[in-house]
Amino acid sequence: MAGILLIVITLGLLIYLAWRGVSLLILAPLLAVIAAGISGLPMLGSYTQIFMVSMGRFVVAYFPLFLLGALFGKLMEFSGAARSIGYWTVNRLGERHAILAIVVCCAVLTYGGVSLFVVAFAVFPIARALFKAADIPARLIPGAIALGAFTFTMTALPGTPAIQNAIPMPYFGTTAFAAPWLGLVASLIMMAVGYVWLKRRAAVAHRHQEGFADSLAAEETVQESEEEGLRPPLWKALAPIIVVLAANLVLSKLILPGRDYAWLATPAWGAARPEDVIGVWSIIASLFLACLTVIVLNLRHLRSLGASLGPGAQDAMLPIFNTASLVGFGAVMAALPAFAVLREMILSMAPGNPLISLSVSINLLAGITGSASGGMSIALETLGARYMELGQAAGIAPEVLHRVTAVATGGLDALPHNGAVVTLLAICGMTHGKSYLDIFVVAVAGPVLALSVIVAMASL
């Protein structure tokens, strides 16, 4: 019990200190090494041979996705394409459907491969103007953005190029389009729960005569942009997103499978299987083609291409190293003697149905680390092969394991210490007290309900 208590205390410190603003690049290795030392493991060996090796593996495997995703997001932002999609959505749906307009705008951008952080920055000015015109409390803006950017487009919609949909592919030999019907059902549940909640909150505020400015601090002033900036035609803005989705589908289903990959099995190429890499290759190639599409179609709008590419590349650094640090932290936790006891407890939750323990373990780890991709990576790094074996023994298709895994990353990951939550609140000028309840319902309660439904469906 003492070992399990040590893990709980260490994770509690990680959550608390990360919430207080301590960098994960410092916090994760420090706490991991201290926990290893208390458990009797070599501290320096735990850092260099476990933490750094696991961290490095994650960076090597997924850096291209973080880099290309960040570049694509910056190109969409600087070219005005993201703004065009936002204003077109708002104009079509109108002030009466302000909440729906913001959700749809965020969903289109994130499903098209734009980083959720970029989406939050790009959509907030649009949401602010629209909510002000409709006199909807500004405190509801974070919930609307979170519903469109942090939920179904991140984990459930088939083909989404989000990292949360890419990480399971090498473990289960699947593609981004795994188990599409389960993904669509989960998406509908998340959307319905979140939208109904936000509409109800807006209606209650209206009955109490609470308007846009009532949730702003007294000293705050809402400044409107004097100039909307560049906004290319809608077809130019949507073309790169269509390229991402279409190229990903064609590459993963038609072009890359069935070719001769015998060379991959040699040690020089990592002794990999084709199914381990085809899914990741498809997303890398589709994001690259989408970046080229943005540049070609909007070259005259991109005043300085270097000004777009430089910040985009820098934007990829902190997210991937923060996530990789959490992966390293989780690897050290998994090496502690007490973790074996926890692992067996999780695996024994439902002996005949690995989907239950899979979903519980990933959601718990995502909540503990405050990172969807970090929690998933820790779980799959330590238990991925075991779940694949259990799934095969139970007659569960790898595609189902993939989709349940991806959806399970959403939910507890959006607890208050989550980096994306903290960033979103800062962008919107809100506090946890004002807006976190809405984020909790749309990004925690809705995804957990959706996960429960698709696990039940898959089990039947």
Side-chain angles (χ1 to χ4, degrees), residues 334-347:
L336 301 182
F339 188 84
V341 178
L342 285 176
R343 180 179 60 206
E344 295 307 315
M345 289 172 56
I346 292 172
L347 288 171

Side-chain angles (χ1 to χ4, degrees), residues 124-381:
F124 171 65
I126 303 169
R128 184 178 60 189
L130 187 60
F131 275 49
K132 183 182 181 184
D135 202 28
I136 298 173
R139 61 182 171 80
L140 297 181
I141 293 177
I145 293 177
L147 177 57
F150 295 6
T151 60
F152 56 95
T153 55
M154 184 178 80
T155 63
L157 276 182
T160 176
I163 187 69
Q164 291 79 5
N165 195 36
I167 291 174
M169 295 189 294
Y171 293 95
F172 301 127
T174 50
T175 71
F177 295 87
W181 290 110
L182 288 179
L184 290 172
V185 169
S187 299
L188 288 173
I189 294 171
M190 293 182 209
M191 179 65 183
V193 170
Y195 184 61
V196 169
W197 169 263
L198 291 173
K199 286 291 288 183
R200 177 180 172 276
R201 293 275 281 173
V204 170
H206 180 72
R207 286 200 299 270
H208 289 86
Q209 298 183 331
E210 178 188 357
F212 174 80
D214 292 322
S215 52
L216 298 174
E219 66 275 9
E220 282 187 273
T221 57
V222 179
Q223 298 179 350
E224 300 297 335
S225 173
E226 297 179 0
E227 186 178 339
E228 289 183 349
L230 295 171
R231 281 165 52 188
L234 182 65
W235 71 268
K236 285 187 177 182
L238 288 176
I241 292 176
I242 295 171
V243 167
V244 170
L245 299 175
N248 190 8
L249 179 62
V250 172
L251 286 167
S252 63
K253 298 293 185 182
L254 300 177
I255 295 179
L256 293 180
R259 304 174 82 87
D260 182 13
Y261 293 109
W263 48 274
L264 265 179
T266 63
W269 296 98
R273 301 172 303 167
E275 56 266 30
D276 294 340
V277 294
I278 284 176
V280 175
W281 286 352
S282 300
I283 296 180
I284 290 173
S286 59
L287 284 173
F288 178 74
L289 291 173
C291 289
L292 288 181
T293 304
V294 179
I295 293 171
V296 170
L297 293 180
N298 300 281
L299 190 57
R300 69 187 184 88
H301 295 301
L302 293 167
R303 289 183 292 272
S304 172
L305 190 58
S308 303
L309 298 180
Q314 293 171 11
D315 286 350
M317 295 297 106
L318 187 59
I320 190 170
F321 279 100
N322 275 340
T323 304
S325 292
L326 292 171
V327 172
F329 173 85
V332 175
M333 293 296 103
L336 301 182
F339 188 84
V341 178
L342 285 176
R343 180 179 60 206
E344 295 307 315
M345 289 172 56
I346 292 172
L347 288 171
S348 63
M349 282 181 176
N353 189 351
L355 293 178
I356 294 176
S357 62
L358 174 66
S359 57
V360 170
S361 63
I362 289 176
N363 221 312
L364 284 175
L365 284 168
I368 287 167
T369 60
S371 168
S373 53
M376 180 200 295
S377 297
I378 293 168
L380 293 180
E381 187 75 21

